[in-house]
Amino acid sequence: MQTGQKILLIVGPTAVGKTNLSIELAKKFNAEIISGDSMQVYRKLDVGTAKITPSEMRGIKHYLIDECNIDERFSVALFIEKCRKAIKEIQAQGKLPLIVGGTGFYLQALLDNFSLGNDKYDSQEVIRNKWHAFAKEKGQQALWEELAKTDLLAAQKIPVTNERRVVRALEVIEKTGRLFSQQADQASLEFDPFLIGLTTQRDVLYERINRRVDLMLTQGLLEEVKYLYAHGGSDLPSGKGIGYKEFYPYLQGLKTLEECSVEAKKNSRHYAKRQLTWFRNKMNVNWYDLVLHPEELTQVINDVEIWLEH
């Protein structure tokens, strides 16, 4: 039985209504909101990150928004540190922590209690790439056996064919010096999460993403792109974000605005697909479609109430 701190999460791809739902639920359940988005931490990047506006907040306090300048790196380790601090602060006021966002790796790292230390994200990338290269050379079975040698309990819970998950376990073990299975066990005692996942039909989602890019362009997205580009563009930690990097060729005179817009839409759609895959494969999510079925809001509220009572 779960005994940990209750935290509510709203996850899912871009353009499915996470922001609106978060405010509704925050009002209903006396919650404060923590952003689980790796780009909304950057100051002055508001339009392209779909950052909630002060008026949209409707008086609800938000955390982990506008934390960094664009030339600062925001790592998963820093996210966990700041997120834990915010959770404690919210809990101390007798309120419910509500995490909202689409950066699956950050949220999984928090819930699975990955003690990543203060190392930069780059070193995690190196470890991950090493194990993926190992699998490519020697096969998934050999990769899985490496995990089984180190942490049999974790290996028994992960299919041989789930290369990403096997690599993730090996990465965490190598990074922290602790067994992956033990970290997951500790996490289950620390938090009692309820994950609300928002999605909708693929064609509807893609159309909403396309429209959102068009809307962002009317709201001043290009000004933010110019600001990023003027300060170093793709060399900045924040400058590689989807919705920004695609427009650099326009500023360089290499592509038309329309061509860059098409690319931004395509990359945003691909990212949404990856987000959905991540949440479905790696996290225990309760899915709802409030785009095509707004009446499901009643079910969401009911499910949260049941979870809070237990």
Side-chain angles (χ1 to χ4, degrees):
M1 183 177 171
Q2 293 273 15
T3 56
Q5 159 70 41
K6 284 190 180 288
I7 51 173
L8 186 59
L9 298 95
I10 301 174
V11 303
T14 184
V16 285
K18 294 192 297 292
T19 299
N20 288 340
L21 178 63
S22 70
I23 297 299
E24 290 292 323
L25 295 184
K27 290 281 188 188
K28 172 104 182 135
F29 295 109
N30 190 29
E32 289 187 344
I33 294 170
I34 303 168
S35 170
D37 185 286
S38 60
M39 287 293 291
Q40 291 185 357
V41 295
Y42 291 109
R43 300 182 190 103
K44 300 191 179 181
L45 303 187
D46 303 333
V47 176
T49 64
K51 198 179 287 176
I52 190 169
T53 65
S55 62
E56 286 171 336
M57 288 180 184
R58 288 167 53 193
I60 301 292
K61 186 170 180 181
H62 281 65
Y63 299 77
L64 300 199
I65 289 177
D66 294 339
E67 289 276 327
C68 304
N69 294 324
I70 56 168
D71 59 348
E72 294 179 271
R73 183 176 291 281
F74 190 76
S75 67
V76 64
L78 197 54
F79 168 75
I80 292 172
E81 179 190 321
K82 287 178 176 287
C83 196
R84 284 180 183 280
K85 187 180 172 190
I87 288 169
K88 282 178 185 164
E89 196 175 314
I90 295 166
Q91 184 189 18
Q93 300 170 70
K95 296 186 177 183
L96 178 67
L98 170 52
I99 304 176
V100 184
T103 308
F105 175 58
Y106 279 22
L107 302 179
Q108 188 200 8
L110 174 74
L111 296 181
D112 286 355
N113 199 25
F114 296 159
S115 308
L116 296 165
N118 297 312
D119 291 342
K120 297 296 186 188
Y121 182 77
D122 289 347
S123 65
Q124 294 155 228
E125 203 86 63
V126 169
I127 296 169
R128 193 174 314 139
N129 291 342
K130 176 187 78 174
W131 286 115
H132 279 302
F134 179 92
K136 192 172 182 183
E137 183 189 343
K138 300 189 177 178
Q140 290 181 327
Q141 179 66 36
L143 178 75
W144 184 88
E145 285 168 4
E146 287 296 310
L147 177 60
K149 276 186 228 166
T150 315
D151 189 346
L152 184 58
L153 192 59
Q156 286 169 340
K157 293 179 180 178
I158 306 172
V160 175
T161 53
N162 192 340
E163 183 181 321
R164 267 177 186 262
R165 186 73 175 159
V166 176
V167 167
R168 184 72 200 120
L170 286 163
E171 178 190 339
V172 169
I173 292 164
E174 189 167 336
K175 198 91 165 61
T176 67
R178 287 168 38 222
L179 296 182
F180 185 75
S181 54
Q182 288 176 345
Q183 301 208 19
D185 288 344
Q186 288 174 4
S188 69
L189 297 174
E190 185 178 7
F191 295 124
D192 175 9
F194 185 81
L195 279 79
I196 296 166
L198 295 187
T199 186
T200 189
Q201 287 179 13
R202 194 61 59 89
D203 58 335
V204 175
L205 174 62
Y206 287 175
E207 180 54 37
R208 286 170 70 88
I209 289 170
N210 291 343
R211 282 206 309 269
R212 174 173 277 194
V213 173
D214 289 335
L215 181 62
M216 284 175 169
L217 284 167
T218 69
Q219 292 172 330
L221 174 61
L222 268 186
E223 293 310 306
E224 293 182 3
V225 174
K226 286 173 185 171
Y227 171 72
L228 267 176
Y229 187 72
H231 288 82
S234 58
D235 292 330
L236 295 173
S238 57
K240 300 177 179 68
I242 294 169
Y244 290 108
K245 63 182 180 181
E246 293 84 2
F247 291 96
Y248 298 152
Y250 170 69
L251 300 182
Q252 295 162 335
L254 301 173
K255 288 185 178 180
T256 66
L257 184 58
E258 176 60 26
E259 285 171 327
C260 293
S261 174
V262 167
E263 187 72 9
K265 290 172 184 175
K266 183 189 80 177
N267 288 345
S268 297
R269 293 193 302 269
H270 288 171
Y271 180 56
K273 189 177 177 183
R274 291 198 303 275
Q275 284 176 299
L276 282 166
T277 300
W278 181 286
F279 289 123
R280 287 190 174 125
N281 290 348
K282 295 178 180 287
M283 304 181 85
N284 184 23
V285 178
N286 305 275
W287 292 100
Y288 308 89
D289 181 351
L290 298 182
V291 175
L292 294 179
H293 300 284
E295 71 279 3
E296 285 188 10
L297 177 60
T298 308
Q299 186 64 51
V300 173
I301 290 170
N302 186 50
D303 291 346
V304 173
E305 283 173 342
I306 292 169
W307 163 72
L308 282 171
E309 285 166 9
H310 290 82

